[in-house]
């Protein structure tokens, strides 16, 4: 990851919606770490992608469905 002058980076933006209680918990975590919520999420996503790459041959559709279920707070997404 390359950092440019003024602290701006060449990162792409992503918007997502999460339960309010997750947001509150992330904000508390970020404050404890003296970091931003964006930084915490960047690290979490990076770790998850690295783990996925390492396990890509063993990931099943059931595991993917479970992750989607967690991300939607247990609600079924419309397809």
């Amino acid at each position: 990851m390359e950092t440019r002058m003024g602290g701006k980076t060449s990162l792409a933006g992503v918007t997502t919606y999460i339960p309010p209680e997750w947001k509150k918990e992330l904000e508390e975590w970020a404050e404890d770490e003296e970091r931003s919520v964006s930084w915490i999420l960047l690290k979490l996503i990076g770790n998850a992608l690295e783990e996925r790459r390492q396990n890509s041959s063993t990931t099943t559709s059931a595991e993917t469905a479970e992750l989607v279920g967690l991300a939607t707070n247990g609600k079924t997404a419309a397809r």
Side-chain angles (χ1 to χ4, degrees), residues 23-71:
K23 183 174 186 256
K24 183 177 187 300
E25 190 170 351
L26 285 167
E27 289 169 339
E28 291 168 358
W29 183 0
E31 186 176 327
D32 290 345
E33 298 288 327
E34 296 182 357
R35 298 287 186 170
S36 67
V37 170
S38 292
W39 187 89
I40 299 286
L41 293 173
L42 179 67
K43 295 302 175 184
L44 289 170
I45 292 167
N47 291 342
L49 287 172
E50 182 61 31
E51 184 177 327
R52 182 178 186 273
R53 287 181 202 115
Q54 291 175 3
N55 299 321
S56 65
S57 63
T58 60
T59 300
T60 66
S61 59
E63 290 169 329
T64 302
E66 181 180 355
L67 289 173
V68 169
L70 289 172

Side-chain angles (χ1 to χ4, degrees), residues 2 13 16 35:
E2 178 184 326
T16 189
R35 298 287 186 170

